[in-house]
Every structure is written in C-alpha cells, then in structure tokens.
Amino acid sequence: MKEYLIQLPTLTPPKEKEPLILYLSAAEVAVGAVLMVERENIQTPIYYISKMLTGLETRYSMIEKLVLALLHATRRLRRYFSGHVIIVLTNYHLGQILSKPDVAGRMAKWAIELGGYNILYRPRPAIKGVWTLHTDGASNDDGVGAGLRLFSPDDHELTYSIRLEFRSTNNEAEYEAFLAGLQLALKMGARNLEANVDSKLVAEQVNGHYDAKGEAMALYLEQAQALISQFQTFMVNHINRSENKHADALSKLAATSFKHLAKEVRIEVLSNPSVSLKQVNIIEIGNPSWMSPIILYLQHGKLLEEKAKARKIQNKAVNYEMADDILYRKSFMGPLLRCVDKTDVQYLIREIHGGLCGIHVGPRMVVAKIMSAGYYCPGMHVDAIEILRKCTACQRHAPKMLRLKNPLVPVTSAWPFQQWGIDLVGPFPDAPGAVKFIIVVVDYFTKWVEAKALASTTAMVIRKFI
C-alpha cells in the first residue's frame, strides 16, 4: 500500500488569487474534475473530485454531465472557487450554452448557481503528439457524401469532401467517413489519434458499448478495428452535430454538387464501398436457377437444344442485360432490377413482410417494395401469396370479416303470389294435439308468411292447408 501512495502525484496548495485550471471528465456512470495550477509551463494538481451518477443522471447528455461535474466541483471546492479565477478547459461550448437566455429546466438552475463564481471557459489545447479527426456522413435524395477534418498537433488542418457513388444508409455513410479519416491519418503518419464523430452508433460500436447488428455493420466495425489497431493510442468521442458543423457541411457538399468547387475543396469519389458485402444472390455451379439459361445466352450465346425453349429464351433475353457478371432486368422508366433466385426472393418476402421493420401488408405491396428496393424474380406474387397465408401474426390480428363467404342469390317476383316457397320442418317433440310438424309458406313478392302445426304430412293435409 505504501508503494502505491508514493507513486501518487503530489498535491500543491495554490497561492492567493492565483488563477486555477479545471479539467472536467464525464463517463457513462460517473463524472469527475481535476483542479490544477500552472507554474513554469508545468501543471500540478491541487485537488481531485468525482461523483457517481445514479438514476436519471446516467441518462443525461454529455453537456449536462459536464455541467453537473462543474457544479459538483463548485460545491465541494467552494473555498477555491470563491478566492480564485477558475479557467475551465473543455472542447464543449459550456460558456455559450449556460449564457443563453432561452436555457430552461435544470440547466437554468445550474447556470444561476454557477453565475456567482468567476469562471472562464476556454478551448482545451491539443495534447502533444495527438492528431484530431472530425468526420461526418450524409445520405439524402441527391446522393451520399462524407466530410472529414484532420488536425495535426501543430494545428495544421486537412479537409476532404468525399462523394459515394453507391447506395448506402446514413449509418454506412458515417462509417465510410470514419474509415476514410482513419486511412488519411495513417497516410499522414499519425500514431496517436482522437476521433470525434456525431454518430452515436459508430462511437458506441467502436468503443464496444453497442453490438454491431447486421452483416454490413459487422463488416464496417471489423474494418474500423483493423485500422485502429495500427495506432499506438486511439480514442473516439461522440459529439453533437452542432459541434461538427464544418465536417457536416463538407459531407452535404459532396452529396449534392461539387463540379464548380473542385478547385477550392479537395474532393474524392468512391465508386465501391470500403467493405465487400456479400451479394444477395449467388449462382452456384451445378445448382442452376431460372437465370442460368439467360446468363448462358447473354454471355456465351449458347441456347438449349429444343427449338421451342431456345426461342423462348431469345425472346426473354431482350428484357435482360449483364453487368459485372450480374443479371439485371430492364424496367420501364426505372432503374435496372437485380435478378434473384426463388430462395432469395422468399427471404426478401419474409423480411419485408415480417422482419425487423416489417409492416405486414398484402402480397401486392410486398412485391412492389421488393421491386422498389431493386430486385426481381418471376413469380414473386405467387410466392408472396403462399408465404403470407402462413403468417401467424396476420392470421391472429386480422380483422373479423362479417361478409358472407358465398354471394347471396336474390329471388325476384314481378307481382304478388307469382312465386311461393313451401317448407316442412320437423318432426319435433309431440305438442298438445299430437302435432309435431310445421308447414311454412312464404310469398316472394310481399314476404307474407303463413305457418301451421300438423300432426302428419300426408298429401291430403298439405292440400287442405294450401
């Protein structure tokens, strides 16, 4: 125990009215602060303080946690805050946020309490030898882009705008920007890197707090970890989008139009994703599908021996074309649709109908969504009907239909007593008078009903009733 105490840094008392420096830190379940004094360009600690977060405090944002750490420091170190100028070094704009007139809630209460002290907020200087990276990805109707800013330890800045010429989601665009920034930092010779991203998903997955669900996210995370392993020290932080405006502007610039800005901004175009995603359909040798004859004809000009089938393939092939050894179907006034086999289209039907974001719609809408996603297979509608009929959720939660299964057949009559309907009902248990049958006559025009109880159903009795 004595050895550990000896290794602890020595605390020093401040001089009267000497300005002090305060460093704030915030984690998922705790916040802390270090009060220091700088003498001859050497910072010496004065006091350490920390606080465990409980209940609602663990769900505070990063800004709220840092302000809470500052507030806790003022309450515990009131003597230092009352007699000294405190300089808070942070990369977050705490001073601007606390001085806003529209701040409300607990932040407003904290701002009033902190206003009684002489606190200055200044940006935190870069750590010696550490590069700083800011990345952002954007995906919209115009395109997909990524922006990144790399700062060297001597504050030299490199800015890049990257246009992604392939379809990707917002999370994939964020990962593309992050991977591009890591590759640029390695090319510039950086060995210590601090990355700031405004995507909480990317930051938490890299830090190991979130699981990478889905094949694409797992591959992107694997690629990022491979690049991170090449740095001596690495740290990734999640920041708000308001603190990443320059990288966000670069990503949106690349996602829209950049021809007129090619000389002012460094722009790179990526035609393929950074990770090699598995294809949806794989045509295995020895396992032919409906696409095999068409591919064989388009690539090698070979047809089947039967003339009828060969002519049918020739007629079908007009609507298809090959690109990078992948079969696509032409669509009217639309993009090319990637052809998939029966197994893959059944998987797409199940995912779109009842998957993670399934909407449990009818077969027509499911097929429309498959085609809008860029896939095609003949007979999709029949497969969708067959699969959707077996959906347990649809059968369990379907509305009850009050309509008759068979259509009603109306019986019309032009005038009264033109058409009659006679029915015999029984036998029933004997009633008084030994009657056990009922004869009913209905006029189809007026719906007039006549009924009589009978003891027997002989011809004489029926004729007498009529």
Side-chain angles (χ1 to χ4, degrees):
M1 180 63 72
K2 293 182 179 179
E3 296 177 0
Y4 289 105
L5 292 175
I6 293 173
Q7 294 176 359
L8 292 175
T10 304
L11 301 180
T12 182
K15 299 178 182 179
E16 186 178 357
K17 296 184 179 180
E18 185 179 20
L20 305 179
I21 300 173
L22 184 69
Y23 288 92
L24 302 175
S25 65
E28 187 174 356
V29 295
V31 295
V34 181
L35 189 63
M36 309 187 73
V37 61
E38 185 173 354
R39 296 169 183 169
E40 298 180 357
N41 294 328
I42 298 176
Q43 294 182 357
T44 306
I46 298 175
Y47 210 101
Y48 298 92
I49 190 173
S50 63
K51 180 183 185 301
M52 293 296 296
L53 301 178
T54 58
L56 181 62
E57 294 176 346
T58 59
R59 297 191 291 271
Y60 284 178
S61 64
M62 181 59 67
I63 295 293
E64 291 176 328
K65 288 182 179 179
L66 292 175
V67 177
L68 180 61
L70 177 58
L71 185 69
H72 184 63
T74 60
R75 294 172 179 174
R76 289 284 304 275
L77 308 175
R78 190 181 304 275
R79 182 169 59 89
Y80 294 104
F81 277 80
S82 300
H84 299 268
V85 176
I86 307 298
I87 302 173
V88 178
L89 299 180
T90 176
N91 292 330
Y92 295 86
H93 305 291
L94 297 183
Q96 298 179 8
I97 295 173
L98 293 174
S99 60
K100 285 183 177 181
D102 56 346
V103 65
R106 51 177 169 263
M107 292 289 286
K109 298 179 181 179
W110 295 345
I112 295 173
E113 186 173 349
L114 294 174
Y117 303 102
N118 193 358
I119 302 176
L120 302 178
Y121 301 91
R122 293 179 182 175
R124 185 173 180 176
I127 304 175
K128 185 177 180 181
V130 176
W131 294 63
T132 306
L133 174 67
H134 290 259
T135 65
D136 182 71
S139 178
N140 51 45
D141 296 337
D142 298 326
V144 184
L148 56 95
R149 303 172 70 205
L150 182 64
F151 297 90
S152 64
D154 56 356
D155 291 337
H156 180 69
E157 180 182 0
L158 293 174
T159 59
Y160 272 88
S161 185
I162 303 173
R163 182 177 179 87
L164 310 180
E165 293 192 338
F166 52 86
R167 184 180 299 176
S168 63
T169 62
N170 287 328
N171 293 331
E172 293 173 352
E174 293 283 357
Y175 258 116
E176 289 289 347
F178 183 65
L179 295 177
L182 296 179
Q183 293 171 356
L184 178 62
L186 289 174
K187 290 180 181 178
M188 298 302 297
R191 290 296 173 262
N192 304 299
L193 183 65
E194 179 181 356
N196 299 297
V197 297
D198 54 24
S199 173
K200 188 174 181 64
L201 178 72
V202 174
E204 296 298 336
Q205 284 185 355
V206 173
N207 287 327
H209 299 155
Y210 287 1
D211 294 332
K213 294 184 179 180
E215 181 185 0
M217 292 294 101
L219 291 175
Y220 273 111
L221 179 59
E222 182 181 353
Q223 183 72 11
Q225 291 174 344
L227 294 174
I228 292 171
S229 63
Q230 302 181 37
F231 294 95
Q232 294 180 357
T233 60
F234 178 82
M235 182 173 61
V236 59
N237 302 317
H238 172 246
I239 61 176
N240 294 329
R241 188 171 295 274
S242 59
E243 302 173 21
N244 203 26
K245 292 182 178 179
H246 291 84
D248 183 50
L250 290 171
S251 64
K252 292 180 179 178
L253 174 68
T256 53
S257 177
F258 57 86
K259 292 183 179 179
H260 63 289
L261 295 173
K263 295 182 179 180
E264 289 79 4
V265 182
R266 297 183 182 92
I267 297 175
E268 184 180 353
V269 178
L270 297 182
S271 301
N272 299 312
S274 300
V275 296
S276 56
L277 300 177
K278 294 182 180 180
Q279 305 298 341
V280 175
N281 63 314
I282 301 176
I283 302 176
E284 299 179 356
I285 299 176
N287 185 21
S289 65
W290 68 270
M291 299 176 284
S292 302
I294 302 176
I295 294 175
L296 190 64
Y297 172 69
L298 293 177
Q299 284 188 331
H300 306 288
K302 296 182 180 180
L303 292 170
L304 300 177
E305 295 181 356
E306 298 182 16
K307 293 184 178 180
K309 293 183 178 180
R311 184 177 300 174
K312 190 175 182 179
I313 293 174
Q314 284 181 322
N315 296 333
K316 283 185 177 180
V318 178
N319 300 321
Y320 297 87
E321 67 177 55
M322 297 291 298
D324 297 332
D325 297 332
I326 300 175
L327 183 65
Y328 292 91
R329 178 178 173 83
K330 302 175 184 178
S331 60
F332 180 72
M333 298 295 290
L336 296 176
L337 303 178
R338 181 165 187 161
C339 298
V340 294
D341 57 16
K342 190 177 183 64
T343 303
D344 294 326
V345 79
Q346 290 177 354
Y347 169 78
L348 292 172
I349 292 171
R350 288 191 295 267
E351 283 296 315
I352 292 177
H353 178 74
L356 185 62
C357 298
I359 53 179
H360 292 278
V361 294
R364 182 177 178 182
M365 182 62 69
V366 170
V367 172
K369 285 187 174 293
I370 292 176
M371 297 185 69
S372 64
Y375 299 103
Y376 173 80
C377 178
M380 288 189 296
H381 192 81
V382 177
D383 294 336
I385 294 175
E386 182 179 354
I387 293 174
L388 268 54
R389 283 177 177 174
K390 302 176 183 179
C391 180
T392 305
C394 290
Q395 296 177 7
R396 185 175 299 174
H397 302 289
K400 294 183 179 180
M401 300 296 293
L402 301 179
R403 187 170 55 185
L404 298 176
K405 295 182 178 180
N406 298 321
L408 296 177
V409 180
V411 179
T412 59
S413 180
W415 55 83
F417 308 108
Q418 179 190 18
Q419 190 172 359
W420 293 72
I422 302 177
D423 288 323
L424 282 172
V425 185
F428 295 104
D430 291 349
V435 294
K436 56 182 177 179
F437 296 98
I438 298 176
I439 183 172
V440 181
V441 179
V442 180
D443 173 30
Y444 285 172
F445 185 84
T446 62
K447 305 299 186 292
W448 183 272
V449 180
E450 287 288 346
K452 186 178 180 180
L454 303 176
S456 62
T457 57
T458 61
M460 183 63 68
V461 174
I462 299 298
R463 185 164 56 184
K464 182 179 179 181
F465 168 76
I466 295 175

